[in-house]
PDB file of all heavy atoms in Angstrom:
ATOM      1  N   PRO A 387     -22.700 -21.069  -6.585  1.00 98.00           N
ATOM      2  CA  PRO A 387     -22.484 -19.623  -6.685  1.00 98.00           C
ATOM      3  C   PRO A 387     -22.877 -18.989  -7.997  1.00 98.00           C
ATOM      4  O   PRO A 387     -23.623 -18.041  -8.009  1.00 98.00           O
ATOM      5  CB  PRO A 387     -20.956 -19.441  -6.409  1.00 98.00           C
ATOM      6  CG  PRO A 387     -20.571 -20.681  -5.716  1.00 98.00           C
ATOM      7  CD  PRO A 387     -21.505 -21.764  -6.146  1.00 98.00           C
ATOM      8  N   VAL A 388     -22.409 -19.607  -9.061  1.00 98.00           N
ATOM      9  CA  VAL A 388     -22.724 -18.931 -10.371  1.00 98.00           C
ATOM     10  C   VAL A 388     -24.221 -19.223 -10.766  1.00 98.00           C
ATOM     11  O   VAL A 388     -24.878 -18.334 -11.341  1.00 98.00           O
ATOM     12  CB  VAL A 388     -21.775 -19.432 -11.492  1.00 98.00           C
ATOM     13  CG1 VAL A 388     -22.025 -20.787 -12.046  1.00 98.00           C
ATOM     14  CG2 VAL A 388     -21.732 -18.410 -12.573  1.00 98.00           C
ATOM     15  N   GLN A 389     -24.683 -20.394 -10.439  1.00 98.00           N
ATOM     16  CA  GLN A 389     -26.063 -20.695 -10.832  1.00 98.00           C
ATOM     17  C   GLN A 389     -27.054 -19.749 -10.130  1.00 98.00           C
ATOM     18  O   GLN A 389     -28.025 -19.228 -10.668  1.00 98.00           O
ATOM     19  CB  GLN A 389     -26.370 -22.122 -10.459  1.00 98.00           C
ATOM     20  CG  GLN A 389     -27.830 -22.560 -10.811  1.00 98.00           C
ATOM     21  CD  GLN A 389     -28.080 -23.973 -10.409  1.00 98.00           C
ATOM     22  OE1 GLN A 389     -27.574 -24.886 -10.945  1.00 98.00           O
ATOM     23  NE2 GLN A 389     -28.917 -24.138  -9.346  1.00 98.00           N
ATOM     24  N   ILE A 390     -26.814 -19.556  -8.824  1.00 98.00           N
ATOM     25  CA  ILE A 390     -27.780 -18.659  -8.099  1.00 98.00           C
ATOM     26  C   ILE A 390     -27.697 -17.250  -8.654  1.00 98.00           C
ATOM     27  O   ILE A 390     -28.699 -16.614  -8.864  1.00 98.00           O
ATOM     28  CB  ILE A 390     -27.391 -18.639  -6.562  1.00 98.00           C
ATOM     29  CG1 ILE A 390     -27.636 -20.055  -5.956  1.00 98.00           C
ATOM     30  CG2 ILE A 390     -28.243 -17.616  -5.800  1.00 98.00           C
ATOM     31  CD1 ILE A 390     -27.166 -20.234  -4.496  1.00 98.00           C
ATOM     32  N   ALA A 391     -26.459 -16.742  -8.958  1.00 98.00           N
ATOM     33  CA  ALA A 391     -26.304 -15.445  -9.540  1.00 98.00           C
ATOM     34  C   ALA A 391     -27.088 -15.346 -10.905  1.00 98.00           C
ATOM     35  O   ALA A 391     -27.781 -14.302 -11.152  1.00 98.00           O
ATOM     36  CB  ALA A 391     -24.848 -15.080  -9.775  1.00 98.00           C
ATOM     37  N   GLY A 392     -27.020 -16.396 -11.668  1.00 98.00           N
ATOM     38  CA  GLY A 392     -27.672 -16.415 -12.933  1.00 98.00           C
ATOM     39  C   GLY A 392     -29.226 -16.579 -12.853  1.00 98.00           C
ATOM     40  O   GLY A 392     -29.991 -15.831 -13.480  1.00 98.00           O
ATOM     41  N   TRP A 393     -29.653 -17.431 -11.910  1.00 98.00           N
ATOM     42  CA  TRP A 393     -31.076 -17.624 -11.723  1.00 98.00           C
ATOM     43  C   TRP A 393     -31.793 -16.307 -11.171  1.00 98.00           C
ATOM     44  O   TRP A 393     -32.951 -16.137 -11.461  1.00 98.00           O
ATOM     45  CB  TRP A 393     -31.310 -18.749 -10.734  1.00 98.00           C
ATOM     46  CG  TRP A 393     -31.157 -20.142 -11.295  1.00 98.00           C
ATOM     47  CD1 TRP A 393     -30.620 -20.450 -12.477  1.00 98.00           C
ATOM     48  CD2 TRP A 393     -31.580 -21.383 -10.653  1.00 98.00           C
ATOM     49  NE1 TRP A 393     -30.630 -21.793 -12.604  1.00 98.00           N
ATOM     50  CE2 TRP A 393     -31.185 -22.411 -11.515  1.00 98.00           C
ATOM     51  CE3 TRP A 393     -32.158 -21.655  -9.413  1.00 98.00           C
ATOM     52  CZ2 TRP A 393     -31.484 -23.759 -11.239  1.00 98.00           C
ATOM     53  CZ3 TRP A 393     -32.415 -22.949  -9.141  1.00 98.00           C
ATOM     54  CH2 TRP A 393     -32.076 -24.052 -10.030  1.00 98.00           C
ATOM     55  N   LYS A 394     -31.076 -15.544 -10.432  1.00 98.00           N
ATOM     56  CA  LYS A 394     -31.660 -14.301  -9.929  1.00 98.00           C
ATOM     57  C   LYS A 394     -31.585 -13.134 -10.964  1.00 98.00           C
ATOM     58  O   LYS A 394     -32.567 -12.458 -11.158  1.00 98.00           O
ATOM     59  CB  LYS A 394     -31.003 -13.866  -8.642  1.00 98.00           C
ATOM     60  CG  LYS A 394     -31.238 -14.815  -7.496  1.00 98.00           C
ATOM     61  CD  LYS A 394     -30.814 -14.252  -6.185  1.00 98.00           C
ATOM     62  CE  LYS A 394     -30.829 -15.277  -5.015  1.00 98.00           C
ATOM     63  NZ  LYS A 394     -32.128 -15.957  -4.824  1.00 98.00           N
ATOM     64  N   SER A 395     -30.404 -13.001 -11.594  1.00 98.00           N
ATOM     65  CA  SER A 395     -30.242 -11.850 -12.433  1.00 98.00           C
ATOM     66  C   SER A 395     -30.984 -12.001 -13.828  1.00 98.00           C
ATOM     67  O   SER A 395     -31.531 -11.011 -14.235  1.00 98.00           O
ATOM     68  CB  SER A 395     -28.759 -11.625 -12.693  1.00 98.00           C
ATOM     69  OG  SER A 395     -28.140 -12.744 -13.272  1.00 98.00           O
ATOM     70  N   ALA A 396     -31.092 -13.187 -14.309  1.00 98.00           N
ATOM     71  CA  ALA A 396     -31.686 -13.223 -15.672  1.00 98.00           C
ATOM     72  C   ALA A 396     -33.143 -12.763 -15.726  1.00 98.00           C
ATOM     73  O   ALA A 396     -33.504 -11.868 -16.515  1.00 98.00           O
ATOM     74  CB  ALA A 396     -31.559 -14.697 -16.273  1.00 98.00           C
ATOM     75  N   PRO A 397     -34.018 -13.293 -14.849  1.00 98.00           N
ATOM     76  CA  PRO A 397     -35.390 -12.764 -14.824  1.00 98.00           C
ATOM     77  C   PRO A 397     -35.504 -11.322 -14.330  1.00 98.00           C
ATOM     78  O   PRO A 397     -36.309 -10.588 -14.909  1.00 98.00           O
ATOM     79  CB  PRO A 397     -36.179 -13.715 -13.905  1.00 98.00           C
ATOM     80  CG  PRO A 397     -35.130 -14.381 -13.077  1.00 98.00           C
ATOM     81  CD  PRO A 397     -33.886 -14.378 -13.855  1.00 98.00           C
TER      82      PRO A 397
END
Side-chain angles (χ1 to χ4, degrees):
V388 78
Q389 179 183 290
I390 295 173
W393 281 13
K394 291 191 190 305
S395 56

